[in-house]
Amino acid sequence: MKAQLIKIGFLPLLHTVFCIATTLSSGQAKSTECKATLFDASWPSTSQWNSLNESLSGRLLRPLPPASACHPSYLDFSNDTCAEITAAWTNFTFHQNNPISTAWNNMNNDSCIPDSSAPCTGLGYPVYVVNASSADDIKVAVDFARENNIRVNVKASGHDYLKRTSSPFSLSIWTRYMVGQYEFHDRFKPEGCSTTINTTAVTAGAGSYVSDIYHQLNLRNQTVVDGMGKEVTIGGYLTGGGHSPLSHVYGLGADQVYEIETVTPTGEIVKANECQNADLFWAVRGGGGGTFGVLTKVTVRTFPASPIALYDFKLQAAPNSTVYWDIMGHLLAQLPDLSAANVSAFTYLYPNITPSESGGPVASFEGVFALPEPTSSSSLEDLLTPIWRYVNETYPNQTVTQVKSTVYPNLYSLFLDFADDSAAGVDKVVGSWLLPPDTLTDDAFTDALISFLGNSGGRLYMVSGRGVWNAQPRGGSDAVNPAWRKALVHAVTSQDWTPLNTTQQAAAEDGVNKVQTEALRQLVPESGAYLNEAYWNEPDFQRAFWGSNYERLLQIKKSVDPDDVFWCHVCVGSEGWEMIGDSLCRSR
């Protein structure tokens, strides 16, 4: 796809943001160094941007806000186009294919949604976008931003909960079309190494999607440790750690990486592995994206595709009833033993929900259990049947249960049935915490769980276990949150609200952060959160996301990016800067 330079339409300037002096508590002022904005004299001229576009073979975009066609103040206003945008807004594909839109409205501060009665401004989005097709494109963009003191933004699919993929007054590097480029290896020798790794592997463009990677490997009867979200890209997945239905066997996604290619903040295109650029290799695997550079390619271990048994159990009981909580306490206490038997689980708990089909409120539970390489077609069912028998015998006529037992030929076929189908284009906030196995049998766990689930419910993903605890990533370690090496369950909750409704937003934010997630923080304060699915403004994020790894990560950040070319919210090194209005300025 060859992108063209798009002339911007009428951009209403709702407010002007300037870099100004900040006042210290002593009353004295200090000068503040800020990244250039559209309103600064240092902002590149039109001729400079045109020259950049020429050097990129026409791949520089200046896009309008994603829903501008719904707003009469924009030149592309069209009722027909607006209707198409509105119909597509809840589909991830729309936001993936738009150079600046993100999956959730509030990540752009509701800057431009398909509602003609709402404001629409481009000030919440990047000003220019490089539709990158190669590492060379990215190098040109990084060099231009560094030389002109412009904020750099990185977007792949826009599937991000932490406000890292859309930045005001920035030059955005869009890796949406850096997909495929697959190389399949029977064995792999990292560049600069004398040792050959004797396993199969795949090299892929960092913008490649989970769904396509599974598909391509399935053609070769292989699979990979990857996620369950079709729109997630491998680069963002791995830099955050990456859990999978196979993690309890093989480890996290980051633990499978053999080599990366990346464009550094100084504009170098480098390979990093256990033999060269080893610090950068360590940091990228779990240290977060958007701060150490821009991934262009990754090489990860693959595995033979094999059958996987699945047991899908659904239960309904009276809402918030003693029966429901007694059953939940019993079920969740079985998870450590199930993990020891090689089972992973995705469980969904909603203590007070009104089913969409009909009827009044109920307490709902669904457990999707998976067993790789079952020894027989009934192996998983044999493990779980005693649990459900106990429930039905102990609480006769008090629950409604539904069970489905299946053996899939491989993970890809399971993925096709169970991939995440949640909607995009909403306002959403999430929170998460990692739970060690002994937490599930702690006397205080039920009370903490009730607070964590609240009225919105939540999910407990048993995606850790021996494979994560005993992982041996290349080079001996990686930057994955050490809390993963002790956790069994990744607990995650979320709340939505009506766009631009500040009352609902405050209630959702406080509910997720100060009540729900806080209940688990208090229960296991020494643990942490999963970087890719966490509260966007996580308190003490350095410790929560990286624990004892943070100091080393910060030193590597300072080494590879001494001028802070890259900055993103709650990323490594972000504490040195702050947002003043829409401007990014040094805080110390």
Side-chain angles (χ1 to χ4, degrees), residues 521-544:
R521 294 188 193 112
Q522 293 294 327
L523 180 68
V524 201
E526 70 278 10
S527 191
Y530 172 43
L531 175 59
N532 281 346
E533 299 172 77
Y535 182 60
W536 74 275
N537 213 19
E538 178 68 33
D540 193 12
F541 71 89
Q542 299 93 333
R543 190 200 62 80

Side-chain angles (χ1 to χ4, degrees), residues 10-12 14 63-77 82 85-86 89-90 94-95 98 100-126 166 425-427 499-500:
F10 175 65
L11 178 63
L14 300 182
L64 292 165
S68 59
C70 296
H71 298 269
S73 57
Y74 285 86
L75 295 177
D76 67 335
F77 172 70
C82 180
I85 292 172
T86 302
W89 195 256
T90 58
F94 173 86
H95 303 282
N98 185 283
I100 57 175
S101 193
T102 57
W104 295 282
N105 304 326
N106 52 305
M107 297 299 116
N108 294 110
N109 298 319
D110 295 335
S111 294
C112 187
I113 59 177
D115 178 355
S116 60
S117 66
C120 176
T121 173
L123 292 181
Y125 299 97
S166 185
V426 298
D427 287 57
L500 299 169

Side-chain angles (χ1 to χ4, degrees), residues 288-306:
T291 189
F292 298 104
V294 184
L295 281 181
T296 56
K297 291 183 181 180
V298 297
T299 301
V300 298
R301 182 180 181 179
T302 63
F303 302 90
S306 59

Side-chain angles (χ1 to χ4, degrees), residues 311-315 327-328 330-332 334-335 338 347 365-369 380-381 383-395 399 401-404:
Y311 195 89
D312 187 1
F313 176 80
K314 298 178 181 178
L315 176 147
I327 293 173
M328 292 304 101
H330 176 75
L331 292 179
L332 298 176
Q334 311 308 309
L335 292 184
L338 289 171
T347 65
F365 168 86
E366 180 177 11
V368 180
F369 299 84
L380 182 56
E381 189 170 354
L383 287 169
L384 293 168
T385 295
I387 299 174
W388 316 137
R389 183 184 300 121
Y390 167 85
V391 171
N392 290 326
E393 290 177 355
T394 307
Y395 305 99
T399 64
T401 60
Q402 178 183 343
V403 172
K404 177 183 178 182

Side-chain angles (χ1 to χ4, degrees), residues 404-431:
K404 177 183 178 182
S405 181
T406 310
V407 177
Y408 286 90
N410 49 44
L411 178 61
Y412 179 56
S413 57
L414 185 152
F415 171 81
L416 293 177
D417 278 355
F418 283 90
D420 182 16
D421 61 356
S422 57
V426 298
D427 287 57
K428 179 190 290 286
V429 65
V430 305

Side-chain angles (χ1 to χ4, degrees), residues 134-282:
S134 67
D136 289 331
D137 289 342
I138 295 173
K139 171 182 169 50
V140 169
V142 170
D143 287 345
F144 185 88
R146 184 184 63 254
E147 293 162 4
N148 290 280
N149 190 36
I150 297 170
R151 184 174 179 182
V152 177
N153 183 82
V154 183
K155 179 193 170 185
S157 68
H159 185 288
D160 174 64
Y161 293 107
L162 299 182
K163 290 196 172 185
R164 299 172 298 184
T165 59
S166 185
S167 309
F169 300 125
S170 64
L171 172 62
S172 184
I173 298 169
W174 189 31
T175 61
R176 166 70 178 89
Y177 295 102
M178 293 188 67
V179 297
Q181 307 173 43
Y182 295 112
E183 298 174 48
F184 301 95
H185 313 277
D186 292 330
R187 59 190 59 81
F188 183 74
K189 184 178 181 180
E191 186 173 293
C193 291
S194 58
T195 302
T196 297
I197 304 170
N198 290 314
T199 74
T200 56
V202 62
T203 301
S208 300
Y209 285 81
V210 168
S211 53
D212 190 53
I213 293 170
Y214 280 146
H215 170 70
Q216 293 296 328
L217 287 173
N218 184 61
L219 298 176
R220 292 158 176 80
N221 200 32
Q222 294 180 17
T223 193
V224 67
V225 174
D226 215 331
M228 295 296 286
K230 292 179 287 187
E231 70 288 345
V232 172
T233 61
I234 191 169
Y237 173 79
L238 297 174
T239 56
H243 66 72
S244 160
L246 299 179
S247 292
H248 67 301
V249 179
Y250 300 119
L252 297 171
D255 299 329
Q256 317 306 318
V257 182
Y258 287 168
E259 185 173 84
I260 64 162
E261 180 185 85
T262 189
V263 180
T264 70
T266 56
E268 299 175 87
I269 302 172
V270 303
K271 295 282 184 68
N273 53 49
E274 62 196 276
C275 303
Q276 61 180 17
N277 300 304
D279 276 349
L280 182 59
F281 183 55
W282 179 86

